[in-house]
């Protein structure tokens, strides 16, 4: 197709400039039918002539030459990434190194990120645990309203030379909008409120809704901290609510119903909690919950508890040199816990609950490299009065 005709078509398809210029080419007279289009494109810097000052409008134009013009038009904002010309010359634009967001959306539908962590836990009983953990996160779009996500985790035990390791498909879920609510279904991880009762990982359906009064309703099957030896998981459904009184104060409340599926160590129960999040000062915050269960666990006497965390700043993987510290105190009966957020659950107190504190500090050693140290001092709230301490250090690499 002749060059002048192609450029006139390009003008008709949306390439435009705001002003005419003086005759830019010696072989394009002002009376030529394509003069206006070519002059506008030249003034916009979209087309160039030959070194001798001619345009050679009667010559045939190659697809590569047209792609160069389209690329210049896109770079100058004369056309958008969704323009038909961008789609038509996608292959040539790719060879020119032009990235087209809308065209890439489909080809970049799968996004993979990950973490590598090396950790060491030193217990007061003279034992230790050294392990490495790697996680691969996969996400992408299904359509304009739904996305998917997954996570594969491998854990390696460095305590021996047996090269013990375990790989699990820890998450696989879809998320989408239904009737103004956000629905997530599948194997997933989420926290209700401050996480002292429910920091959950399992197969579930979760619905998030509301803008001022925000809510999360869910049903799922989860392995919990109250009976770590139980092969069958708890069936749990619940509702969490949060309301921001001001920029500094947020209130929350939650209800959980737990079906123990016939376990000999725990019991069916309802759990209620109320709590708050409060910004004490710049970068300094307090979170606290009070929890009450309808029944104590089998063989136990307590059915309530409370927990609080004070935190200052925080280490951000994306910002080298950022840091933060925190301190938490827990006084919780086993009946108030489904799956606790604290790594102190590593002590496997089961139905006896926890009482004690933990403190920690984190520092971003470099971009995407964070080092952390935490100290735990716990005892059981009921039953035998064990005193357990642990020092946990780890370095996490994100990519």
């Amino acid at each position: 197709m002749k060059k002048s005709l192609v450029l006139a078509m390009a003008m008709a398809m949306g390439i435009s400039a705001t002003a005419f210029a003086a005759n830019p080419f010696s072989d394009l007279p002002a009376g030529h039918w394509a003069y206006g289009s070519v002059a506008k494109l030249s003034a916009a810097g979209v087309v160039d002539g030959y070194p001798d000052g001619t345009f050679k409008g009667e010559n045939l134009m190659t697809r590569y030459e047209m792609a160069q013009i389209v690329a210049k038009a896109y770079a100058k904002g004369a056309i958008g990434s969704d323009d038909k010309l961008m789609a038509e010359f996608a292959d040539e634009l790719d060879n020119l190194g032009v990235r087209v967001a809308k065209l890439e959306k489909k080809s970049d539908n799968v996004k993979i990120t990950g973490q590598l962590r090396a950790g060491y836990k030193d217990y007061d009983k003279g034992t230790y645990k050294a392990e490495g953990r790697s996680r691969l996160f996969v996400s992408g779009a299904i359509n304009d309203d739904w996305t998917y996500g997954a996570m594969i985790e491998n854990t390696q035990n460095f305590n021996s030379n047996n090269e013990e390791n375990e790989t699990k498909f820890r998450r696989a879920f879809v998320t989408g909008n239904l009737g103004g609510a956000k629905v997530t279904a599948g194997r997933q991880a989420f926290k209700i409120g401050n996480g002292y009762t429910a920091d959950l990982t399992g197969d579930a359906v979760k619905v998030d809704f509301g803008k001022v009064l925000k809510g999360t309703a869910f049903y799922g099957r989860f392995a919990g901290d109250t009976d770590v030896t139980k092969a069958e998981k708890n069936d749990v459904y619940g509702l969490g609510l949060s309301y921001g009184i001001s920029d500094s104060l947020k209130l929350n409340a939650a209800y959980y119903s737990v079906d123990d599926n016939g376990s000999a160590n725990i019991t069916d129960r309802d759990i209620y909690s109320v709590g708050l999040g409060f910004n004490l000062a710049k970068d300094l915050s307090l979170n606290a919950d009070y929890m009450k269960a309808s029944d104590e666990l089998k063989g136990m006497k307590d059915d309530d508890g409370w927990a609080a965390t004070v935190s200052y700043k925080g280490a951000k993987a994306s910002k080298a040199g950022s840091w933060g510290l925190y301190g938490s105190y827990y006084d919780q009966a086993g009946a108030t816990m489904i799956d606790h957020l604290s790594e102190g659950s590593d002590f496997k107190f089961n139905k006896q609950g926890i009482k004690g504190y933990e403190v920690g500090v984190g520092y971003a050693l470099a971009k995407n490299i964070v080092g952390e140290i935490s100290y735990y001092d716990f005892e059981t709230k009921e039953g035998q009065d064990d005193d357990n301490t642990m020092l946990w250090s780890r370095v996490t690499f994100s990519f």
Side-chain angles (χ1 to χ4, degrees):
M1 188 176 290
K2 291 183 179 180
K3 185 185 296 186
S4 57
L5 180 57
V6 170
L7 295 184
M9 291 174 61
M11 287 291 295
M13 294 179 71
I15 300 178
S16 62
T18 58
F20 284 93
N23 191 343
F25 307 113
S26 60
D27 60 344
L28 187 66
H32 193 278
W33 66 269
Y35 178 86
S37 297
V38 175
K40 285 185 178 182
L41 293 170
S42 176
V46 173
V47 297
D48 297 314
Y50 291 89
D52 63 359
T54 61
F55 179 62
K56 302 187 188 302
E58 298 301 311
N59 288 1
L60 295 179
M61 175 175 279
T62 66
R63 287 184 60 86
Y64 187 76
E65 288 175 323
M66 186 60 195
Q68 288 180 309
I69 293 173
V70 172
K72 290 179 181 179
Y74 173 70
K76 293 180 178 296
I79 60 174
S81 61
D82 58 350
D83 192 279
K84 292 180 180 179
L85 287 170
M86 300 295 282
E88 172 63 27
F89 295 94
D91 292 337
E92 289 81 5
L93 291 171
D94 183 65
N95 291 332
L96 290 170
V98 178
R99 298 179 61 84
V100 185
K102 187 167 184 178
L103 298 177
E104 290 180 337
K105 185 177 181 180
K106 201 166 186 179
S107 63
D108 289 345
N109 199 37
V110 178
K111 180 180 180 181
I112 300 176
T113 58
Q115 287 183 342
L116 296 174
R117 186 177 76 186
Y120 182 84
K121 297 178 180 179
D122 189 356
Y123 303 96
D124 66 339
K125 307 297 184 181
T127 59
Y128 70 93
K129 180 189 292 185
E131 65 179 18
R133 187 190 73 184
S134 57
R135 286 178 167 179
L136 288 179
F137 302 90
V138 182
S139 62
I142 297 173
N143 55 39
D144 291 341
D145 297 315
W146 287 82
T147 61
Y148 67 89
M151 188 264 278
I152 302 172
E153 180 181 82
N154 175 264
T155 303
Q156 296 178 316
N157 183 1
F158 298 146
N159 282 33
S160 66
N161 294 323
N162 296 331
E163 296 184 357
E164 299 175 10
N165 70 89
E166 181 180 50
T167 300
K168 292 183 177 181
F169 214 139
R170 296 295 299 275
R171 300 174 198 170
F173 59 89
V174 294
T175 300
N177 297 313
L178 284 179
K182 177 183 175 183
V183 178
T184 305
R187 183 161 298 175
Q188 56 187 290
F190 59 93
K191 181 173 67 175
I192 301 296
N194 293 315
Y196 304 127
T197 292
D199 185 19
L200 304 169
T201 298
D203 300 316
V205 176
K206 178 171 68 77
V207 180
D208 297 301
F209 57 91
K211 295 182 178 180
V212 179
L213 176 63
K214 298 181 179 180
T216 298
F218 72 93
Y219 169 78
R221 311 194 77 184
F222 310 95
D225 290 327
T226 51
D227 187 358
V228 295
T229 63
K230 185 168 71 70
E232 193 169 1
K233 297 180 179 180
N234 300 316
D235 284 353
V236 184
Y237 65 84
L239 172 66
L241 298 172
S242 66
Y243 180 74
I245 300 294
S246 66
D247 292 339
S248 299
L249 178 62
K250 179 179 71 174
L251 303 181
N252 61 70
Y255 164 76
Y256 313 89
S257 179
V258 183
D259 181 351
D260 68 5
N261 288 312
S263 171
N265 292 328
I266 61 176
T267 189
D268 293 349
R269 65 198 186 280
D270 297 326
I271 306 172
Y272 308 85
S273 71
V274 293
L276 60 82
F278 184 59
N279 294 326
L280 302 170
K282 182 181 179 181
D283 299 322
L284 181 65
S285 63
L286 167 69
N287 292 285
D289 277 1
Y290 171 77
M291 299 139 280
K292 175 75 173 179
S294 61
D295 295 283
E296 67 274 6
L297 297 187
K298 294 174 182 177
M300 299 293 105
K301 297 180 180 179
D302 285 348
D303 61 6
D304 67 347
W306 67 276
T309 299
V310 175
S311 57
Y312 180 69
K313 290 187 175 181
K316 298 179 180 179
S318 60
K319 186 177 181 181
S322 61
W323 63 279
L325 51 85
Y326 76 95
S328 297
Y329 185 84
Y330 314 107
D331 188 346
Q332 295 182 246
T336 68
M337 298 186 296
I338 302 171
D339 195 355
H340 201 277
L341 62 78
S342 174
E343 194 70 19
S345 61
D346 193 50
F347 294 126
K348 296 178 172 53
F349 289 138
N350 292 330
K351 58 184 179 178
Q352 299 176 46
I354 59 175
K355 187 174 183 178
Y357 69 91
E358 65 176 273
V359 293
V361 60
Y363 181 78
L365 304 169
K367 185 177 181 179
N368 296 328
I369 304 176
V370 176
E372 300 169 275
I373 298 176
S374 299
Y375 177 76
Y376 304 78
D377 190 338
F378 286 163
E379 61 185 30
T380 55
K381 182 175 175 64
E382 299 185 75
Q384 56 185 354
D385 188 25
D386 283 343
D387 185 28
N388 295 268
T389 63
M390 177 178 72
L391 183 65
W392 184 28
S393 57
R394 63 270 191 199
V395 177
T396 302
F397 302 82
S398 301
F399 57 90

